[in-house]
Amino acid sequence: MKLAIPTKGNVIDDHFGHCEAYTIVTVDANQQVAKTELLPSPQGCGCKSNIAAILQQKGVSVMLAGNMGNGALNVLNNHGIRVYRGCSGNVMQVVNNYLVNGLEDSGVGCEHHADGHVCSH
């Protein structure tokens, strides 16, 4: 299984579409982290970029994210990637929590305003 996490430094970036990179975590059959890699984020808004296709090609099936709009959520879902929103904090701590306890999608998305990039939480 492979997970993708929108990342800024070593924490989850609160806005999927404008993160610095994606941490891709490969999980083995024993639910242990086998490998991590950093994928630079493509330019442009996440839902308008080809990031969903790139992640799908890399075998990603789960995204642990902060917030994202419905456009991005739909694009990721259409590429076979299940999204869990509402994640925050250190990337590897969230990954380990997901592997041990599971997570639920917060169901909270971004409310886009006139400039298209402001979230209200």
Side-chain angles (χ1 to χ4, degrees), residues 2 4 24 26 37 39 50-62 75-76 78-81:
K2 287 190 179 182
I24 298 177
T26 303
E37 63 182 292
L39 174 70
N50 63 344
I51 191 62
I54 292 169
L55 293 172
Q56 182 184 40
Q57 289 168 357
K58 288 189 161 288
V60 170
S61 60
V62 172
V75 168
L76 289 162
N78 289 339
H79 282 84
I81 299 171

Side-chain angles (χ1 to χ4, degrees), residues 61-117:
S61 60
V62 172
M63 177 170 285
L64 306 179
N67 292 301
M68 71 177 60
N70 286 330
L73 179 66
N74 291 335
V75 168
L76 289 162
N77 287 166
N78 289 339
H79 282 84
I81 299 171
R82 180 159 184 186
V83 177
Y84 295 89
R85 294 169 291 181
C87 301
S88 64
N90 178 277
V91 169
M92 294 313 296
Q93 287 177 347
V94 172
V95 167
N96 288 329
N97 188 44
Y98 171 76
L99 295 174
V100 172
N101 302 315
L103 295 173
E104 289 188 25
D105 178 29
S106 69
V108 177
C110 289
E111 297 293 328
H112 291 287
H113 299 277
D115 68 2
H117 295 109

